[in-house]
Amino acid sequence: MRTVEWDQGAVKMIDQRALPWKLEFVRLETVEAVAEGIRNMTVRGAPAIGAAAGFGLALAAQRSDAETSDKLVSDLIEQGDKLKAARPTAVNLAWAVDKLLQIAGSGAFKSPAELRAGLLAAAQEIADEDVAVNSRMGRHGAALVKDGATVLHHCNTGALATVDFGTALGVVRAAFEAGKDIHVLLDETRPRLQGARLSAWELEQLGVSYDIIPDAAAGYFMQKGEVDIILVGADRIAANGDFANKIGTYQLAIMAQAHAISFYTVAPTSTIDLAVSSGDQIPIEERDPAEVTTPYGNPIVPGRFKARNPAFDVTPHRYLSGIVTEHGIARPPYTESLRRAVAGEKV
């Protein structure tokens, strides 16, 4: 099944807030509903957010009552801004919106009806390409994972974080399907517990061996020699290789270097933002502190207690062993290898 898809005039997606207790789907019939679904993490994961945004803009075209192509493009620019504002860190969201807006403004369509059909086809292409890209990344990354290896993983980067197959967990899946015996240590990933809730659910479906561990226990398992490789995803990769990912990634990278453990991020080239020279320029989303103090509506401290809730942190490229893309594994200097990857060249 796909995490997000077009469904007869609406955007259909798995409600990831309900997992692992229930597998539920929602149909979003307005751009505002899609933006809110991205904001409230009904859908999450940079590639999945990008696909959702693409379908969201196609939905905006379908819902617009514009009678001319110029008016339709104007409407789409306004609706695209709503989608982009939903979550600022994951570049895939803006990438998908801008890609469709570029198509809309190309003048290639003779009528609003053709433009609407063209945008829906383009959004579907983004979704289909995501699946193909993830499969290629999985094959490239699987070569890094030895038979019998224990992989440490943070957050969720499987099929749920993409349209299907996954990025970092897609590497695990590809290695497992190639016959390798793999065990995965899953950081629970507070405060929303994407590792404990979503990654564990996905690995259970695949039949991959795993253990959920507290976020604070990652260093313990590295120190005990029980981690062979660390695989994480990315929400935005700067031109120099610095990357933003789920909060807690930075400290894993530092510990990995201290214990001489290979540390890779796995992401499609749509996550690479060459317009951003370093991680210092990546905007970091801060979410509602209630996610920390009252996770999923369950208070764990008194309401008067204050909290901070940055959703991401930035890991400097010097801690990376490499960046797995659909065109191969990028290595330093990243300013050169990432540019080649974005251009579609083998790295």
Side-chain angles (χ1 to χ4, degrees):
M1 71 187 77
R2 291 196 169 191
T3 300
V4 56
E5 60 186 341
W6 184 257
D7 182 36
Q8 300 180 341
V11 182
K12 179 183 176 183
M13 58 181 67
I14 295 173
D15 187 346
Q16 298 190 38
R17 301 167 302 176
L19 288 170
W21 302 280
K22 293 183 291 184
L23 177 59
E24 294 182 345
F25 294 85
V26 295
R27 292 181 80 253
L28 306 178
E29 299 183 352
T30 66
V31 176
E32 290 77 14
V34 174
E36 179 58 25
I38 293 170
R39 187 177 300 108
N40 67 22
M41 297 180 74
T42 298
V43 62
R44 41 140 305 278
I49 288 173
F55 283 130
L57 202 64
L59 177 62
Q62 303 288 326
R63 295 292 181 181
S64 171
D65 58 5
E67 297 181 356
T68 68
S69 294
D70 286 347
K71 178 62 168 65
L72 180 53
V73 171
S74 178
D75 288 350
L76 291 173
I77 292 172
E78 180 180 346
Q79 299 304 314
D81 288 341
K82 292 180 182 179
L83 290 165
K84 287 182 183 181
R87 296 198 73 187
T89 300
V91 73
N92 306 63
L93 194 163
W95 169 84
V97 170
D98 288 342
K99 184 171 185 176
L100 263 66
L101 286 176
Q102 184 177 22
I103 291 171
S106 68
F109 303 97
K110 297 178 181 179
S111 67
E114 285 191 11
L115 177 52
R116 290 181 175 98
L119 289 179
L120 179 56
Q124 187 62 57
E125 184 178 348
I126 287 174
D128 293 342
E129 180 64 14
D130 179 70
V131 181
V133 161
N134 293 338
S135 180
R136 294 200 297 273
M137 284 194 301
R139 291 195 297 273
H140 290 308
L144 301 169
V145 183
K146 296 179 180 179
D147 187 27
T150 294
V151 178
L152 178 64
H153 179 266
H154 192 63
C155 196
N156 170 259
T157 63
L160 291 169
T162 63
V163 177
D164 198 2
F165 202 85
T167 57
L169 281 183
V171 168
V172 169
R173 175 176 174 176
F176 177 73
E177 291 178 349
K180 294 181 180 179
D181 179 23
I182 299 171
H183 184 71
V184 185
L185 295 175
L186 297 173
D187 277 356
E188 56 186 344
T189 320
R190 291 186 180 274
R192 296 188 66 92
L193 300 169
Q194 293 98 324
R197 293 171 44 248
L198 305 180
S199 294
W201 183 82
E202 288 199 61
L203 292 183
E204 185 177 66
Q205 309 305 305
L206 293 171
V208 177
S209 171
Y210 70 89
D211 288 309
I212 298 167
I213 65 172
D215 291 344
Y220 168 85
F221 287 103
M222 292 187 212
Q223 189 180 54
K224 301 292 279 187
E226 295 188 34
V227 177
D228 297 300
I229 187 171
I230 300 174
L231 299 173
V232 299
D235 287 82
R236 187 182 303 218
I237 302 174
N240 70 341
D242 297 349
F243 72 101
N245 192 49
K246 183 54 56 186
I247 192 72
T249 302
Y250 174 45
Q251 61 202 36
L252 289 180
I254 293 172
M255 288 189 288
Q257 188 173 87
H259 293 89
I261 297 170
S262 296
F263 180 92
Y264 290 88
T265 185
V266 185
T269 52
S270 59
T271 305
I272 300 169
D273 188 354
L274 295 181
V276 170
S277 62
S278 74
D280 294 338
Q281 299 171 341
I282 298 176
I284 299 299
E285 174 188 3
E286 283 217 31
R287 296 182 60 82
D288 188 346
E291 292 182 346
V292 176
T293 60
T294 315
Y296 295 95
N298 300 307
I300 58 174
V301 294
R304 67 181 182 276
F305 285 13
K306 298 185 181 300
R308 295 284 300 277
N309 187 20
F312 305 93
D313 55 27
V314 173
T315 298
H317 65 275
R318 64 180 177 274
Y319 293 107
L320 275 168
S321 303
I323 299 173
V324 181
T325 77
E326 68 268 32
H327 299 301
I329 302 172
R331 307 280 187 182
Y334 293 112
T335 51
E336 297 179 12
S337 59
L338 292 179
R339 177 183 50 78
R340 293 199 305 273
V342 170
E345 300 173 16
K346 184 177 179 180
V347 295

